[in-house]
């Protein structure tokens, strides 16, 4: 097991990267002994892992959420509030969110606002959620055509996960998570050198490499967030490529996954930086070499520049 200490607004908490799913369950059972727990679970995770978790889940404590952007909405939030109310949750209850970034963002927004905030634990089950969305306390839902527009900053008390969850993840979701890992490589020069030397574009990584990438990425994100908890300055570096990326996601009608849009977006941002004269040719070539090892959906190249430019203007990020 690897433990990372995460700094949050309420002190520090543990990010536990555990070697087995049984180990994750064991840690949850430890909390269950003394508190009432409510689970908000990604529908695919519920389907795949139901047998392992079935002694924890029952109809009164388990809310299953469809993990698509359409369900990252106020409608889901109201349904979660109803579920919590009907089952007598209160501020001392734990909400344990098990799933990817969609379930994490939606479930933790519900946890942050129900009775002004319940206790929260994240169990990220996608690579993207392990390296990015479970750290930094951003919660939220989409509103009208705006992505992640309504939300809050709310930290979990713990993050508990295992790379073993990734064995059932679709390849495009692994690629999407790699998009955020590559972003950290562009933020941290030592990590860039490691990725440049060792990553060849394969999505089938040995366990040790995977553990290193997850642990290092989580650490880099935490280091950045600690310096700028409210996303006022330093944290903007975590948006690298995201204005392009969100525009690509939006033009695709969200059929392009977030992190895959980010890979294409970082390519766009790299070309732009070079054109603006703020990135040397040789740096651009190296960055494009690393990003180019990860093949994104060809259809992205068919989107018109005008439609992407228009969508970029609607991005809420600075
Ligand atoms: N809060 C933040 O700081 C932050 C940061 C980055 C991204 N995000 C948000 O995260 C979301 C994307 O997250 P994501 O990439 O995890 O997508 P996701 O939550 O949609 O999960 C991807 C797919 O994998 C499935 N899945 C999850 N775990 C699985 C497993 N172990 N095995 C098999 N299938 C599994 C899900 O059902 C879904 O179909 C976006 O909405 C994005 O805006 C938030």
């Amino acid at each position: 097991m690897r433990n990372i200490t995460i700094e949050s607004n309420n002190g520090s908490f543990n990010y536990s990267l555990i070697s087995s799913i049984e180990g994750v369950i064991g840690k949850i059972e430890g909390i269950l002994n003394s508190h009432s727990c409510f689970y908000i679970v990604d529908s695919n995770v519920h389907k795949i892992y139901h047998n392992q978790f079935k002694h924890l889940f029952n109809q009164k404590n388990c809310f299953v959420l469809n993990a698509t952007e359409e369900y990252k909405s106020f409608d889901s939030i109201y349904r979660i509030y109803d579920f919590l109310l009907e089952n007598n949750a209160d501020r001392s209850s734990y909400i344990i969110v098990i799933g990817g970034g969609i379930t994490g963002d939606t479930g933790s927004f519900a946890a942050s606002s129900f009775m002004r905030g319940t206790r929260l634990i994240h169990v990220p089950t996608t690579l993207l959620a392990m390296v990015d969305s479970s750290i930094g306390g951003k919660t939220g839902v989409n509103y009208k055509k705006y992505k992640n527009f309504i939300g809050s900053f709310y930290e979990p008390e713990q993050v508990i996960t295992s790379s073993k969850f990734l064995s059932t993840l679709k390849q495009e979701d692994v690629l999407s998570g790699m998009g955020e890992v590559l972003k950290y490589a562009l933020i941290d020069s030592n990590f860039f050198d490691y990725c440049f030397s060792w990553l060849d574009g394969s999505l089938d990584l040995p366990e040790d490499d995977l553990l290193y990438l997850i642990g290092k990425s989580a650490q880099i994100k935490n280091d950045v967030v600690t310096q700028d908890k409210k996303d006022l300055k330093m944290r903007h570096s975590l948006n690298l490529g995201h204005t392009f990326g969100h525009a690509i996601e939006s033009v695709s009608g969200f059929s392009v996954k977030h992190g895959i849009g980010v890979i294409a977006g970082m390519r766009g941002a790299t070309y732009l930086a070079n054109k603006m004269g703020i990135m040397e040719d040789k740096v651009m070539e190296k960055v494009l070499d690393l990003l180019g090892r990860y093949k994104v959906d060809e259809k992205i190249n068919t989107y018109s520049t005008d439609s992407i430019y228009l969508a970029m203007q609607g991005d809420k990020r600075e």
Side-chain angles (χ1 to χ4, degrees), residues 10 36-37 43 52 83 86 96 99 112 127-128 159 164 166 183 188 193 204 229 232 256 261 264 294 314:
N10 314 315
S36 69
C37 293
S43 53
Q52 275 161 286
F83 155 77
E86 279 157 20
I96 303 184
S112 77
L127 182 57
L128 185 139
V159 177
K164 292 290 189 296
L166 303 182
K183 177 187 78 182
D188 179 304
D193 291 343
D204 200 6
K229 296 213 169 86
L232 298 172
V256 169
Y294 292 86

Side-chain angles (χ1 to χ4, degrees), residues 6-7 10 43 64-65 72 82 88 96-97 106 113-115 117 124 142 152 156 167 174 195 244 246 274 304:
I6 303 281
E7 298 301 331
N10 314 315
S43 53
V64 179
L65 183 76
K72 191 172 160 181
D82 285 343
N88 304 318
I96 303 184
V97 178
T106 311
S113 47
F114 183 77
M115 298 182 83
N142 303 325
S152 59
S167 65
V174 179
C195 291
F244 278 100
H246 279 166
N274 179 259
S304 78

Side-chain angles (χ1 to χ4, degrees), residues 123-183:
V123 181
T125 61
T126 64
L127 182 57
L128 185 139
M130 289 174 195
V131 301
D132 192 353
S133 59
S134 64
I135 306 155
K138 280 188 181 175
T139 84
V141 292
N142 303 325
Y143 183 65
K144 297 190 173 166
K145 63 178 184 162
Y146 301 103
K147 196 161 153 32
N148 299 333
F149 202 67
I150 307 289
S152 59
F153 287 93
Y154 197 70
E155 306 273 5
E157 290 183 19
Q158 288 188 57
V159 177
I160 308 168
T161 191
S162 170
S163 62
K164 292 290 189 296
F165 281 117
L166 303 182
S167 65
T168 53
L169 202 58
K170 286 188 183 147
Q171 291 281 288
E172 66 169 343
D173 289 308
V174 179
L175 177 61
S176 180
M178 279 308 296
E180 299 292 358
V181 171
L182 295 170
K183 177 187 78 182

Side-chain angles (χ1 to χ4, degrees), residues 6-14 94-95 108-109 111-112 117-122 132-139 152-159 221-222 225-226 228-230 235:
I6 303 281
E7 298 301 331
S8 81
N9 286 331
N10 314 315
S12 56
F13 66 86
N14 238 352
Y94 271 97
I95 292 189
S108 50
F109 180 51
S112 77
T118 65
R119 307 181 79 166
L120 172 67
I121 291 180
H122 268 302
D132 192 353
S133 59
S134 64
I135 306 155
K138 280 188 181 175
T139 84
S152 59
F153 287 93
Y154 197 70
E155 306 273 5
E157 290 183 19
Q158 288 188 57
V159 177
K221 172 144 191 193
N222 179 51
V225 168
T226 308
D228 177 16
K229 296 213 169 86
K230 292 283 178 188
R235 197 164 169 169

Side-chain angles (χ1 to χ4, degrees), residues 32-242:
L32 257 184
N33 289 339
S34 44
H35 293 90
S36 69
C37 293
F38 294 88
Y39 302 91
I40 299 175
V41 188
D42 175 308
S43 53
N44 287 318
V45 174
H46 189 265
K47 218 177 287 161
I48 300 168
Y49 294 98
H50 186 258
N51 270 343
Q52 275 161 286
F53 280 84
K54 70 178 174 210
H55 63 291
L56 298 183
F57 297 163
N58 62 49
Q59 274 189 339
K60 287 179 183 282
N61 72 9
C62 183
F63 182 96
V64 179
L65 183 76
N66 279 334
T68 58
E69 290 290 341
E70 193 192 336
Y71 285 92
K72 191 172 160 181
S73 65
F74 269 112
D75 189 45
S76 297
I77 295 293
Y78 296 145
R79 288 193 304 118
I80 294 171
Y81 291 157
D82 285 343
F83 155 77
L84 293 172
L85 259 175
E86 279 157 20
N87 294 299
N88 304 318
D90 62 28
R91 212 181 282 159
S92 67
S93 307
Y94 271 97
I95 292 189
I96 303 184
V97 178
I98 308 178
I102 289 183
T103 311
D105 283 8
T106 311
S108 50
F109 180 51
S112 77
S113 47
F114 183 77
M115 298 182 83
R116 297 203 178 91
T118 65
R119 307 181 79 166
L120 172 67
I121 291 180
H122 268 302
V123 181
T125 61
T126 64
L127 182 57
L128 185 139
M130 289 174 195
V131 301
D132 192 353
S133 59
S134 64
I135 306 155
K138 280 188 181 175
T139 84
V141 292
N142 303 325
Y143 183 65
K144 297 190 173 166
K145 63 178 184 162
Y146 301 103
K147 196 161 153 32
N148 299 333
F149 202 67
I150 307 289
S152 59
F153 287 93
Y154 197 70
E155 306 273 5
E157 290 183 19
Q158 288 188 57
V159 177
I160 308 168
T161 191
S162 170
S163 62
K164 292 290 189 296
F165 281 117
L166 303 182
S167 65
T168 53
L169 202 58
K170 286 188 183 147
Q171 291 281 288
E172 66 169 343
D173 289 308
V174 179
L175 177 61
S176 180
M178 279 308 296
E180 299 292 358
V181 171
L182 295 170
K183 177 187 78 182
Y184 299 121
L186 301 196
I187 291 176
D188 179 304
S189 58
N190 289 333
F191 190 46
F192 182 89
D193 291 343
Y194 171 88
C195 291
F196 197 83
S197 305
W198 292 104
L199 299 182
D200 62 2
S202 164
L203 298 176
D204 200 6
L205 292 163
E207 178 77 2
D208 274 356
D209 292 1
L210 206 48
L211 289 177
Y212 178 73
L213 291 178
I214 296 169
K216 186 72 188 170
S217 298
Q219 192 71 63
I220 295 171
K221 172 144 191 193
N222 179 51
D223 289 348
V224 173
V225 168
T226 308
Q227 295 173 60
D228 177 16
K229 296 213 169 86
K230 292 283 178 188
D231 199 4
L232 298 172
K233 197 167 178 207
M234 175 70 187
R235 197 164 169 169
H236 291 183
S237 64
L238 298 171
N239 297 339
L240 182 61
H242 279 56

